[in-house]
Structures are given as structure tokens and as C-alpha cells.
Amino acid sequence: MTDHTKPRRRAIIDAHLHLYDSQANAFAIFEQRQPGLEALVGDYSALPRTYLLDDYLRDSASRDVEGIIWHEFISRDAEKEMTWGQHLASASQLPIALVGLVDFLDPRLTERLEFYRSLPAAAGVRQHLGWDASNPLRCFATRPDFLSDAKWREGLKQLRGGRLRCGLEVFSPQLPDLLDVVRQFPDIGFTVAVMGWPTDLTAEGYRRWRDVLTAIARCGNTVASISAIECIFGMSWRPEQLKPWMLAVVEAFGPGRTMLGSHLPLTGLSHGFDPLYDGYEAILTGFSEEEKDQLFRGTAMQWFGVPKRELLSET
């Protein structure tokens, strides 16, 4: 008998999370201390060495998960990790889209993209370009000028007209360069990761971030992803800290071009999944149910081409 007294769980598609098995793939963060990651999330020794779909579904049980967007975890062998992700997707009744690691200056870029395109679940690629000139521990690229590099942009051209979305992780001072890139390549779909990753949380920093993010949002080939909250506001972040920034993103891009992610299992080092999604719900309380549905599931489904769960189970 159905218990109608229980509140209906909101359906979501988690736009950003990691699943991995350190026995199947090698990850540098588990082999040696990574000061850069520690600068973002502190002591990460509590992270599980293996985090699989069942672990994620246990942690996210408070919501009705209809699909997930799996992101690579910077393994030693990106193609091997994507192969592992495809096996996971093929064996799952839960729709899974994959985002793999890429370097647009890689001499083997063409071969890597061809391989990714051969994977049915591959929906996007991403490159870590974050560079904070004021903090050497927050320089995740090998140099600061990739976005303006002509050869790098030549590599980026290989995504034109294809199904693979392009995620470029940059910090907010790099957003003007990202704006130039998305304007130059209107036929590539860009995911603006981590809300444009604000690093200056002062009132002036908020104004600069919001202005350039709004300009990026005017480019119809962009979608914003809200996730990794702890990497912006710290491990003890509060919903009232997040609220003005999150609402600015939704105002700029609209609910139909904004999506939400958990960043599990890393968010488990902070408050965890339930407080995060409860915070999302509280901040978005003034939006209509249709708008909330876009934010929590619809945008990610459309952007990454995630099939409906019932359709997948029929194949």
C-alpha cells in the first residue's frame, strides 16, 4: 500500500559528480599528497578510494535521481578511465552521460576525440584551466594563457558542430578570456563550470563576476553549472552565502540554461548531499515548479542528451 503521507521526492539529474575505482584506474590524488586539492577542500584523506554507483545512490537517496553526469577524476590514463565509465553506463539502468578529460594542445587530440565520440555515453569533454595569479596553490593549468593561445583555439575547433559539450574550468578573473572564446566559437556548446568559479567574494568581486558572467550568458551557446560549492565558499559554507551568487547565475542564464550538481563524493567532505540539495531548494523557493524542474533535471537532460530512464530500461 502506498504511503501518501510521505513528501514526494524531487526528481533530479545530477549535473556534476564523480564515480571511480582506484583499483581499476590510477589517480594521482590517491598516490601522493596534492597541495592544490588541499587548498580547495582541506584534508581529503577521508575520500573513499572507490566510489561506485551504489555508493552514490545511497548518499543521494533523499531525491529521485533520474540520471547523472559523470565527470572524469583526473586519472593517469584518461581514455582508460572513460572506457571504465562507458562500461558503467552500459551496465546501468540509470541514465549516465560521460564527460572526459581533454587537452586542446595534445598532439593526439584528434585520436582522443575520435575515441570519445565512439563511446555511446560520451556527452562532453573538459579541460582544467584554473589559474589564480595570487595563489600558486590554485594554479591547475601549466600556464595562464591557454584561452588566448592560437594553437589551443585551433584544437578547440575540432568540437565544432559535434555532440560533445565543452567544459572549461576557469577562475573568475579568467572569465573575460572565456567570453572571447565562446563568442568566437558560436557552434560549440560551452558548459560554464562551478558558476564561473568566483574567487573574490567581496562586494566588488561579486560585481565584476556578475557583469562578465551576464555577458557570457548572452551567448546562446553557453549553459551554467552550479556545483562544487565547498570549493568556492569553504567547507563550512552556509546557504545565505551561496544565495546571492546562485540567484545571479539563474537570473543571467535563466532556469532553462542552468543546472545543479552535487560534486559527490567531494561534497561529502563538507556538509554532504542532503544539506546541499536542501540549500538549493530553499534558495529556489520563489521559482515555479516548471522552473525548478528545469534547474534540477531538465536543463542537464537536454544539454547532455540524457535519455529518459524508462526509455533506457526498454532497450
Side-chain angles (χ1 to χ4, degrees):
M1 180 176 180
T2 302
D3 184 357
H4 294 288
T5 65
K6 291 184 178 180
R8 178 177 178 269
R9 293 182 300 166
R10 178 174 296 282
I12 70 167
I13 290 180
D14 192 332
H16 189 139
L17 61 96
H18 305 285
L19 304 175
Y20 55 85
D21 182 349
S22 60
Q23 297 299 312
N25 298 286
F27 299 94
I29 68 166
F30 296 134
E31 296 173 354
Q32 60 190 38
R33 176 174 169 267
Q34 298 286 310
L37 182 58
E38 286 186 344
L40 293 177
V41 299
D43 180 6
Y44 62 86
S45 60
L47 275 180
R49 276 15 182 199
T50 296
Y51 192 75
L52 302 178
L53 183 58
D54 285 347
D55 302 309
Y56 168 80
L57 292 175
R58 179 198 65 231
D59 290 341
S60 62
S62 63
R63 300 296 191 278
D64 181 15
V65 179
E66 292 190 346
I68 61 175
I69 314 302
W70 174 98
H71 284 66
E72 55 80 28
F73 205 45
I74 318 182
S75 74
R76 296 288 191 188
D77 187 332
E79 293 184 16
K80 182 181 178 183
E81 185 185 15
M82 276 288 276
T83 300
W84 181 89
Q86 179 59 58
H87 288 322
L88 183 76
S90 298
S92 174
Q93 291 301 308
L94 182 72
I96 300 176
L98 308 176
V99 176
L101 184 67
V102 75
D103 175 357
F104 290 110
L105 283 178
D106 183 353
R108 292 189 60 254
L109 175 65
T110 299
E111 291 85 348
R112 176 165 294 191
L113 291 178
E114 287 177 354
F115 171 69
Y116 286 171
R117 292 184 184 109
S118 74
L119 303 177
V125 296
R126 69 171 181 164
Q127 186 169 1
H128 303 273
L129 298 176
W131 185 277
D132 185 346
S134 66
N135 186 348
L137 290 179
R138 289 168 65 93
C139 293
F140 298 108
T142 54
R143 55 181 232 246
D145 61 340
F146 283 107
L147 291 168
S148 58
D149 183 283
K151 290 184 178 179
W152 183 89
R153 293 190 179 196
E154 281 296 314
L156 182 63
K157 285 181 181 179
Q158 294 195 42
L159 293 184
R160 281 179 160 170
R163 80 175 195 270
L164 296 179
R165 304 301 192 182
C166 179
L168 299 175
E169 290 202 352
V170 301
F171 293 131
S172 52
Q174 299 170 275
L175 289 178
D177 288 334
L178 179 60
L179 173 61
D180 187 58
V181 168
V182 301
R183 282 174 170 168
Q184 183 174 347
F185 298 98
D187 48 356
I188 295 175
F190 292 93
T191 305
V192 182
V194 198
M195 303 197 305
W197 212 320
T199 56
D200 180 355
L201 304 183
T202 66
E204 178 59 24
Y206 174 84
R207 184 194 63 77
R208 288 195 300 266
W209 164 85
R210 184 188 59 192
D211 287 351
V212 69
L213 198 72
T214 299
I216 291 173
R218 294 192 186 104
C219 302
N221 57 328
T222 60
V223 160
S225 178
I226 297 175
S227 67
I229 305 306
E230 68 282 351
C231 293
I232 301 171
F233 301 102
M235 305 306 283
S236 299
W237 65 273
R238 303 181 308 279
E240 56 266 29
Q241 286 178 290
L242 170 61
K243 183 175 181 177
W245 302 80
M246 181 172 171
L247 290 179
V249 175
V250 180
E251 180 182 359
F253 288 86
R257 287 172 50 217
T258 306
M259 51 194 174
L260 309 175
S262 71
H263 204 221
L264 276 172
L266 287 161
T267 196
L269 299 174
S270 178
H271 300 310
F273 179 92
D274 285 349
L276 173 67
Y277 270 78
D278 288 346
Y280 287 161
E281 294 268 14
I283 291 169
L284 298 171
T285 188
F287 288 80
S288 70
E289 284 303 310
E290 180 180 357
E291 290 169 330
K292 290 177 185 177
D293 187 62
Q294 289 178 309
L295 290 158
F296 281 95
R297 58 177 289 282
T299 298
M301 173 180 281
Q302 182 177 17
W303 186 246
F304 289 110
V306 180
K308 291 187 176 180
R309 184 170 46 190
E310 58 269 22
L311 295 179
L312 189 65
S313 63
E314 293 172 0
T315 61

